[in-house]
Every structure is written in structure tokens, then in C-alpha cells.
Amino acid sequence: MGGFFSPATLEQVRAASDIVDVIGACVPLKRAGANFVALCPFHKEKSPSFNVNPHKQIFHCFGCHKGGDVFTFVKEYENIDFPDAVRRLAERARIPLEMDSQGGRPETRHLKDQLLQIHEQITQRWQTALASDPAGQVARDYLARRGVGQQAIELFRLGFAPEAWDDTVNWAKSKNFEPALVEQAGLILRKEGTDHFYDRFRGRLIFPICDEQGRVIGFSGRVLTGDEKTAKYVNSPESPIFTKGKVMFGLDKSKRALLDKHCAIICEGQLDLIACFMAGVTNVVAPQGTALTADHARILKRYVEEVVLCFDSDNAGQNAAVRSLDSLLASGLAVRVATVPAPHDPDSYVKEFGGAAFGQLIEKAPGFFDFYLDRLCNLNDVTSDRGRRAVVQAMAEAVHKTGSDVLFDTYAQKTALRLSVAAQAVRSEFKKATGSRIVDAEEPAEASAATAPRPSQRELWLLRFVLESDDYISWIASHLEVDWLAHPMVQEIVAQRLAAETNGSWAGLPSWLSQLDNPEWRNLITEILADSRSSPSENNVKGLPTRDSTIKLLRDEYIERQMAALQQRLHDPNLKEDEQIQISRQKEHLRQLKKQPLAAKPVEGEA
């Protein structure tokens, strides 16, 4: 599970990442005895069931049953993969990682680090220029007219690039950044045929573009004058740290809201997003300088199950919504479309009517195909044959992309109703328009294996004895047969722990938890170890099961199961007499064995 990271690197990052500090930076923790508790960040609850154990460096929620170590928490909380969780914690602890799972060589990683440093420093410079530079008054006035307050300016780190051809060039020289490196960052351009450079961003309001970790990776600069010959927006070119088709503006700030709401509102521009966010509608993102791509859709799918497209109400905005369908459907996202009443865009609508009204607009947004049917009927003369054919053809092609018989039939009926024709006629036209039969509905998934029952309380105690302390493991290994355990999950966990002890690969519980790919195992283990009733060493005092008594009872239960199976065989009418005698002897042997105290297993080679 560590990918390209060595065990030593993982342990170094883990050791530098105290789980209480990491989780405490995300949710407020309260001490409860030796542990800490909080309201779970992974599900809604009114009383705290989320438990953090600083001694074992694990967490567990007794409500939703999520659990794991510090890597697991960051992975689940940030909704990222394991290598990214390692990187996130390494950066927090200022630990350099020699390898990364993006396949980059060390020099590539160094280049990215340099580019990130340049972007962070120029962001700070432009923030200062917006805040206090006299030349930045034009940007301050513009933001005031647009109703962008100081809180939003600071949260989104807005800035101002001075109106000069060499401001950034001279700044880079003062910081000893090589011009070629600053050019690669997209901040300056080389004058053709010369070694001279000039600034890309001049006299513009600057919107920093961040990755999912909140690091600045690019910029979008808005013109502040009325010069029609000047592009309204200038954006950073693609670079080793910035790929515009994979970046969503605002995602670093909205990702928790996306996870909580299970829905993403997609708008077109930065100012639209900022207005929504500051009005309390925080589950919002915007594609960065490009149409919505398949990569955007895949990124969103990690956070939500549904998106609401909220583009401008003009023709260009509505066409952009239609063009987004293929990428969103391919990712498995449900799609709705909110149309902001003309002449508004999301920014102006929120400013005039408020965040609550905008939230209602989103709440009532129709499904994509209802929106599309309305749009087609408005664009075409549905009283003419040509217009009706155009509507049917476009609806058929769009609905066919879903591969759903249900949607196919639903919108055949709705289209028929809008066109005042028979539903069967539209179904027939839908089939012809797609050029093939209706796509079969997905085959039902194979019935999953019956959920295994929860392990018995004795087996849960055994797991705790096995994992609570390394002090017990040698004794348990010499007295326990794994076959005595009835629950397959417990049997496998115990077998792996004993095997790790035997072959010397045990590196401690947190390290082992990180290597578990099965979340069901991890959640069960953290649940048991987060139980604060007692530690096994105190069980004698508190009247709870002891290590010895637990293993003996598990052995006796195993013997009873064997005896019951033998008894069942005795009921076989075809059983021969000598077989009956043999089974009876086996039963008697088991009865005697059950009376014996727990004994150590013979060592290998012992007679």
C-alpha cells in the first residue's frame, strides 16, 4: 500500500505526525480519560462517538465504524489516495520525499517544488499590491463595485499585478530566480528573437488558482480597463504543476462541503463562485479556463454523486451546459441544470436576492433531460414537422448516452407529451435515431455473499489480546491454534499477526494498519482497540475475561463444535458398526481433552 515509499520513509512521516495534532486541526477534540472524543467528521451525529487513541495512534468512530491510523484519517477526510495522504503529512512535517507515485524523478520533484515556491511568493507580492499599492486602487474600486468584501479578498488571496512590462521580471531578479524558471512558471514571456523578458500579467486583478491541497499553481488575471482590444482574462499556461483540464477553481475550499452535501454546484467564473461561497453556498466549484472535461468529472466523482450546472442564462452559457453532458454521464454523475433568470448570472443573483434564494434555485433545479427538452422546444418550432423531428432526434441521442431503459422510456413519454403525439411513435423514432436497439439495462450485480455475522465477544477479546500489546503475543502463539476461531475474519487477522511475529516482520500496530487494504478489517481492529472499558492487563482486577480464560474457552467451544459434528454423523443410518465405535472413541477423547488445562503447543520436532 505504500507504493513508491519505503517502510523507513513511512515510519518517519508517521512518527512526525501525531494523530491527535493532525485530527485536532480538522475537528475539535475533547479529552475523555486517556483518549479524545469528537463529533465524527464522516457522518452526522449529535453526540460524540468519534474516538482518538493517542497511545496507539489510531482513531475509531463507534457510529459509522470508520477507523485507522493517521494516514487513513487524512486519506478519508481529504478524500485522496494513500500516496497523496503520505505527501500531505510529509509536507506538514517538512519531511522531503525522495520518490513519489506520480513517477517523477527527484529532479522533477525539485522543479515542482521550485515552481510552487515562486507561485506562493508572487501571490504574496500581488496580495500586498492589492492591499496597499496606490496603483492598486483601480482593482480595489472594481472589487468594491462588484461587492467583493475584505473577507473574500483574504480568503481567496486576490491580488493586483502592477501595470508595468517588467515588474515581475525585476521582482524575480531580486529573489534570484532564474528567468528561464520564471518563464516556465508562466509569469513572464521571452521577447521573440531576444534574451529579454516581459510580464504576462500586467494591470490585472489576480485570482490565484490552487490545487486540492490549497497550493497556488497558476493565476487568472482580469482586465480592469475598458480596452476592447485586450483580452478580458489572461490565464497561466500549462506547466509541470498546472493542467487546466484537471483543475477546479475553489475546490480546495469547497471539498468538505461537497462531501457533506453529496452535490457540487458548477458555475462558470471566479466571481460567481466567490459570491456563492461568501453567501453560504459553499459546495461550489468552477472549471478553470476551459470547458468541463472528463478529468473534471472524475475529480468531482471522488466527492459527490450529483452535480448542478449553473451557467449563465445566455445562449453561450446554456450551450456550455449541454456540452458538459458527455463527460458527466461517463463518470456516473447525476446531472441537474439550474437556470438563473435573465439578465442575472450567479454573482448578480446572489447579490440581489441572497444566498438562501440562490439555494432554493439550486434545490428546484430540474434534471438535465427535463432542462434539455425545454431548451429544444424553445429553440425549435414544435408545430412544424421539421421542428418536431429536430427535438426527437436530439433527445434520442442524448438519452441514449445514459444506457438506461428507464430514462429512455421516461423521456420518450415526456417528449411525446410536449409534442402532442403518441408515446409509442416517439419510442419508435428514438430507436431509429440511435441506430440500434435500446441499450439493455445493466445486469443486476451478483448477489454478494451473505454478510458474515459479527465475531463472538470472546473472539473480540482475543483480538484485543493479540493486538493490544506485544508482551502477550509469544505466549498466545504457543497456546493458541488458529483453527479454534470460528469467525473467518478474526481467524485471518490473528493468523497474520502470529505469522508476523514468527517471521520477524512485525513493525508495530500503526504500520500494520497502513498495510491493510481491507477497510472492514481495519475498522474492526480500531473498534476493539478504542474500547475504553479496560486494558487486558487489568482484566483480572475488573472481573473481565483474562487472556488464559479466553483462549481456553475458545478451545472448548472448538471442541464442542467437533463433538456436535461427530454426533451428527452418528445419526447416519448407513453408518457401519466399526465407524460408530470409532466416532464414539473420538467423542470420548474430545470430552477428556476439554477437561484438561490449557497447555503449550509442542515445539516443532518434539515427540
Side-chain angles (χ1 to χ4, degrees):
M1 197 170 179
F4 288 96
F5 304 114
S6 68
T9 297
L10 293 176
E11 286 311 306
Q12 183 186 13
V13 174
R14 189 199 314 283
S17 305
D18 181 77
I19 196 167
V20 174
D21 291 342
V22 172
I23 296 181
C26 302
V27 295
L29 295 174
K30 293 183 179 180
R31 182 171 283 281
N35 295 343
F36 292 84
V37 297
L39 293 175
C40 181
F42 303 118
H43 80 287
K44 301 286 186 183
E45 61 178 4
K46 294 182 179 179
S47 56
S49 59
F50 185 81
N51 188 290
V52 181
N53 187 312
H55 175 64
K56 301 182 182 71
Q57 290 290 297
I58 60 172
F59 74 91
H60 183 83
C61 176
F62 290 95
C64 66
H65 305 295
K66 280 186 183 292
D69 65 349
V70 68
F71 294 127
T72 308
F73 178 82
V74 173
K75 178 175 175 288
E76 295 287 340
Y77 187 80
E78 299 286 352
N79 201 34
I80 55 180
D81 59 19
F82 181 81
D84 280 340
V86 176
R87 286 191 202 93
R88 195 80 47 102
L89 288 169
E91 288 171 2
R92 176 184 177 276
R94 302 185 182 278
I95 295 173
L97 297 176
E98 293 184 359
M99 297 294 291
D100 69 52
S101 67
Q102 294 174 342
R105 296 188 300 270
E107 57 266 28
T108 303
R109 183 71 257 170
H110 179 63
L111 171 62
K112 291 180 179 180
D113 288 342
Q114 287 182 305
L115 294 177
L116 288 170
Q117 181 185 9
I118 290 173
H119 278 75
E120 175 58 31
Q121 291 191 25
I122 195 67
T123 297
Q124 294 176 20
R125 173 174 174 77
W126 285 339
Q127 282 182 285
T128 301
L130 176 62
S132 57
D133 193 318
Q137 189 62 47
V138 62
R140 294 191 289 273
D141 291 343
Y142 174 81
L143 291 171
R145 290 197 304 272
R146 295 298 299 260
V148 181
Q150 188 61 32
Q151 186 180 0
I153 291 172
E154 293 176 1
L155 179 62
F156 287 89
R157 305 188 68 186
L158 305 188
F160 172 70
E163 180 67 74
W165 289 91
D166 59 358
D167 185 80
T168 302
V169 172
N170 292 332
W171 168 83
K173 288 179 181 177
S174 73
K175 296 291 183 179
N176 295 319
F177 290 126
E178 290 293 331
L181 183 64
V182 184
E183 180 186 20
Q184 195 167 5
L187 299 177
I188 61 176
L189 300 99
R190 185 188 299 268
K191 188 174 181 181
E192 189 174 356
T194 72
D195 290 330
H196 298 292
F197 294 87
Y198 61 94
D199 295 1
R200 180 184 297 274
F201 298 98
R202 306 181 304 277
R204 289 178 179 266
L205 175 65
I206 298 295
F207 297 87
I209 303 163
C210 298
D211 62 12
E212 290 178 61
Q213 296 174 239
R215 301 176 301 187
V216 181
I217 56 174
F219 300 98
S220 182
R222 192 194 193 285
V223 70
L224 294 169
T225 64
D227 188 352
E228 294 182 358
K229 296 181 180 179
T230 303
K232 186 176 180 180
Y233 281 93
V234 168
N235 298 312
S236 290
E238 295 200 352
S239 73
I241 60 172
F242 176 55
T243 305
K244 64 182 181 179
K246 296 182 179 180
V247 176
M248 302 290 284
F249 181 77
L251 180 59
D252 59 307
K253 296 172 181 64
S254 65
K255 57 188 176 183
R256 280 311 308 172
L258 299 182
L259 289 167
D260 291 341
K261 300 279 188 181
H262 310 293
C263 172
I265 302 166
I266 303 176
C267 57
E268 286 187 271
Q270 292 100 339
L271 288 171
D272 289 334
L273 182 142
I274 291 172
C276 293
F277 197 94
M278 301 310 295
V281 183
T282 54
N283 56 321
V284 58
V285 294
Q288 183 51 55
T290 182
L292 199 69
T293 67
D295 284 322
H296 288 142
R298 280 192 289 271
I299 291 168
L300 289 174
K301 181 64 175 174
R302 302 206 316 260
Y303 295 92
V304 300
E305 296 298 326
E306 179 185 58
V307 299
V308 179
L309 301 172
C310 189
F311 295 162
D312 290 350
S313 55
D314 58 16
N315 231 7
Q318 298 301 285
N319 285 337
V322 173
R323 289 194 302 272
S324 301
L325 177 66
D326 286 3
S327 296
L328 295 171
L329 284 181
S331 68
L333 288 162
V335 187
R336 292 188 290 132
V337 181
T339 302
V340 180
H344 291 290
D345 56 23
D347 176 31
S348 63
Y349 188 89
V350 167
K351 297 288 172 46
E352 183 165 341
F353 301 105
F358 183 76
Q360 286 294 311
L361 193 71
I362 297 299
E363 188 70 28
K364 296 176 181 178
F368 176 87
F369 294 105
D370 290 310
F371 152 80
Y372 192 41
L373 180 57
D374 280 342
R375 178 162 174 76
L376 289 170
C377 290
N378 289 332
L379 291 175
N380 295 279
D381 178 8
V382 296
T383 64
S384 69
D385 292 341
R386 180 179 179 180
R388 286 192 292 268
R389 280 198 301 270
V391 171
V392 170
Q393 178 73 25
M395 282 299 295
E397 290 177 355
V399 176
H400 179 65
K401 294 173 182 177
T402 69
S404 168
D405 277 348
V406 173
L407 289 178
F408 199 102
D409 191 65
T410 297
Y411 286 96
Q413 293 184 55
K414 288 189 176 185
T415 303
L417 187 63
R418 291 292 297 269
L419 300 180
S420 300
V421 297
Q424 186 54 46
V426 175
R427 288 191 192 96
S428 177
E429 290 298 317
F430 269 27
K431 292 177 183 178
K432 286 190 287 185
T434 61
S436 63
R437 65 178 180 85
I438 298 176
V439 177
D440 291 335
E442 287 186 12
E443 293 293 325
E446 287 186 22
S448 58
T451 303
R454 185 173 171 79
S456 70
Q457 191 58 49
R458 287 195 184 102
E459 292 191 338
L460 293 178
W461 273 115
L462 176 70
L463 270 183
R464 191 164 182 183
F465 290 130
V466 167
L467 298 171
E468 176 86 29
S469 170
D470 296 347
D471 296 340
Y472 306 120
I473 198 67
S474 295
W475 189 93
I476 292 172
S478 66
H479 288 78
L480 174 73
E481 295 284 355
V482 176
D483 290 344
W484 295 349
L485 305 175
H487 197 281
M489 188 194 308
V490 175
Q491 190 177 81
E492 187 61 30
I493 291 172
V494 172
Q496 286 198 19
R497 174 63 185 96
L498 296 181
E501 184 68 17
T502 301
N503 60 33
S505 63
W506 182 252
L509 180 68
S511 175
W512 189 60
L513 279 177
S514 293
Q515 298 170 26
L516 292 181
D517 291 322
N518 189 328
E520 190 178 359
W521 285 25
R522 188 167 55 240
N523 295 343
L524 178 65
I525 291 167
T526 54
E527 175 191 345
I528 294 161
L529 296 179
D531 188 340
S532 59
R533 286 178 296 175
S534 76
S535 68
S537 60
E538 299 170 329
N539 284 9
N540 264 331
V541 178
K542 297 192 175 186
L544 293 170
T546 64
R547 174 195 63 188
D548 302 36
S549 65
T550 297
I551 294 179
K552 184 178 185 304
L553 287 169
L554 288 170
R555 182 203 68 176
D556 292 350
E557 288 174 352
Y558 171 74
I559 290 173
E560 287 170 3
R561 291 195 298 271
Q562 285 194 311
M563 290 174 65
L566 291 171
Q567 184 62 36
Q568 186 68 29
R569 287 182 60 194
L570 286 175
H571 293 313
D572 184 353
N574 298 319
L575 201 64
K576 296 178 182 179
E577 184 178 354
D578 59 336
E579 291 176 324
Q580 291 179 358
I581 294 171
Q582 181 65 26
I583 290 173
S584 296
R585 287 175 178 168
Q586 290 176 356
K587 284 182 61 181
E588 180 58 28
H589 172 73
L590 290 172
R591 269 192 292 268
Q592 294 302 318
L593 185 61
K594 188 177 174 183
K595 295 176 183 179
Q596 299 297 317
L598 196 64
K601 295 184 289 188
V603 297
E604 188 174 347
E606 186 177 356

